[in-house]
Amino acid sequence: MKIRKIIAALSAAAIACAAFSGCAGPATGGDVLSIQEGKTENLALNAPAAMGERDAAKAVDGDRSTAFCARSEKGTIEIDFGREVTFDTIVLREKGWNIRQYHIDVLIGGEWETIYIGDRIEDLRYCALEQAVTASGLRLIVDSSNQVFSISEIEVAMAPKSNNQGFRVSAYVRTDLMVDGSLYDPDGGVYLDSKFLDVATELNFLGCVNLDGDGNIVLTRTQVNDAGEEESALMTDDEFAAALERMRTYIGDRHVQLTMTIGTPDPDTTYRAMTESRDALIANIMDFAGRFGFDGISFDWERPQNQDQFNAFSDFLIELKPRLTEAGMRLTLAWASWGVNMKPEAVKTADAIEIMSYDLFDQYGNQASFLESTVQAVDYFLSLGYDKSQLNIGIPYYGRPVDGGAYWPSYSDAQYQLGRYDDTDSEFVADYGQSYFNSYQTVMDKTAYAISEGLGGVMVFRLELDRPYDDPVSLTKAIGNTIAHRIEGGDIHE
């Protein structure tokens, strides 16, 4: 996945919403299935709610077309449940995109305790608690806003356990780091902690298997030359086989599937391979994947440049899919959430779509924030005819400068001091400025949303960029803990 590609354009829906502020107009954003379909009770519905002396009933009336409008840039909405209630999920909906910082307190035994801190609400924010809490009251405290804010709905619920024990955690890793052994060095900065493999259901090997215009599979690796510069070099089958065998030994008896990502050269060469050399390319893919024992293949074409190329890719996948099915292999596609125009028949070929919902910036320069990269990204692929079960929400294990600069700092980098709720690093880093990450809490929220919405799973890019699993704010631990709490049995492996 070419993470160094800057995606400057927001979707049309995001642009329209970003321009809106105030108290009028309907809110957008996906429904939260467990609450909207009546699978669980909204504990805040019609509960007494107030901001000081003002009645805030419109924030808990179950009607997203209404909203409680504040009279300043800060304020507290307090909800009295009238009894002790137990919940693990809070869904917030804002009219206008004005709130910049907020937190949530609950009343437990007569004392208020903070249980959640966030930066943006927008049309929908899914707030997932790691464990259920029992409280008699709740406060939404808006600490900072661009202007007066309005809340269309606060929903509070105990999410029902999902039965989706096939929930996917697809994780990309750089193959050249596997080949040279860097992945296994705990002091090397790109460490693949073995405990990550208790959470991941699939490893997707990236960056060494490529195609050429004649339909051949070409193995390459990145190496450092005498001048200290990275360069591409050919890799032998024996080198690749030895690296795979070491990884399989490292995985042990865990049920982790292995997927081969096929990289594509320039669009014209890829187009030629999938048209003039289609038969050879399919035969070579099947031979290569079979010889090395892969469970599936994935394509990362970024991206077809015109409809002829989309049609050629569609026809190629339609022809390839039966061969993969016969061999017991899965087909995965990586797409960003814009400009996809595949044939309807090709939409059905994918067992999974890895949504590259990162390197997308909101109006504040935050990359992969919740609404744009999760709710709107999912809605986009559903509008194309994909099924929820095909979709994996992408989660970046790296940050981006808020000015959109060409810098991709790893979450594991020790210079970034990030806590449980901190999406933005606390210090400005020389030459690059402040960077926006996905925090432990944001990753929990995205994972819980995927479970609640009945999606296929989540995808992480890249697994070796995380902090060790025993670190309190390991992102992989956030995914694992969320699955354990919200999926029946807590076992994500089939």
Side-chain angles (χ1 to χ4, degrees), residues 74-149:
K74 297 181 180 181
T76 299
I77 297 176
E78 183 171 325
I79 300 172
D80 180 4
F81 296 121
R83 67 191 194 283
E84 287 193 337
V85 297
T86 301
F87 54 91
D88 62 4
T89 303
I90 303 161
V91 180
L92 304 176
R93 300 177 188 271
E94 179 187 3
K95 285 228 181 139
W97 292 11
N98 297 316
I99 294 173
R100 298 296 303 274
Q101 190 73 34
Y102 66 95
H103 66 279
I104 298 171
D105 291 353
V106 292
L107 186 60
I108 301 175
E111 300 288 335
W112 289 99
E113 300 179 14
T114 299
I115 60 168
Y116 189 95
I117 301 173
D119 53 3
R120 308 287 304 286
I121 294 178
E122 304 176 318
D123 293 343
L124 185 150
R125 181 65 191 225
Y126 194 98
C127 307
L129 308 183
E130 195 154 30
Q131 300 294 333
V133 300
T134 299
S136 58
L138 180 143
R139 286 175 174 169
L140 170 63
I141 300 100
V142 175
D143 302 298
S144 173
S145 183
N146 290 339
Q147 54 184 294
V148 294
F149 62 91

Side-chain angles (χ1 to χ4, degrees), residues 50-63:
M51 177 177 284
E53 298 298 319
R54 297 182 61 207
D55 187 350
K58 288 184 178 180
V60 292
D61 62 1
D63 184 352

Side-chain angles (χ1 to χ4, degrees), residues 341-404:
N341 198 12
M342 300 291 281
K343 291 183 178 181
E345 299 91 337
V347 167
K348 300 175 183 178
T349 63
D351 295 292
I353 299 295
E354 310 287 16
I355 303 178
M356 296 188 291
S357 44
Y358 33 73
D359 293 329
L360 294 167
F361 299 90
D362 65 18
Q363 69 269 36
Y364 299 109
N366 301 332
Q367 78 112 5
S369 56
F370 185 83
L371 180 69
E372 290 86 351
S373 70
T374 304
V375 179
Q376 291 181 342
V378 168
D379 286 349
Y380 173 75
F381 282 99
L382 294 178
S383 75
L384 299 181
Y386 289 97
D387 188 79
K388 286 187 174 185
S389 64
Q390 293 175 282
L391 305 181
N392 295 344
I393 293 175
I395 298 173
Y397 278 17
Y398 62 91
R400 293 295 305 274
V402 295
D403 64 1

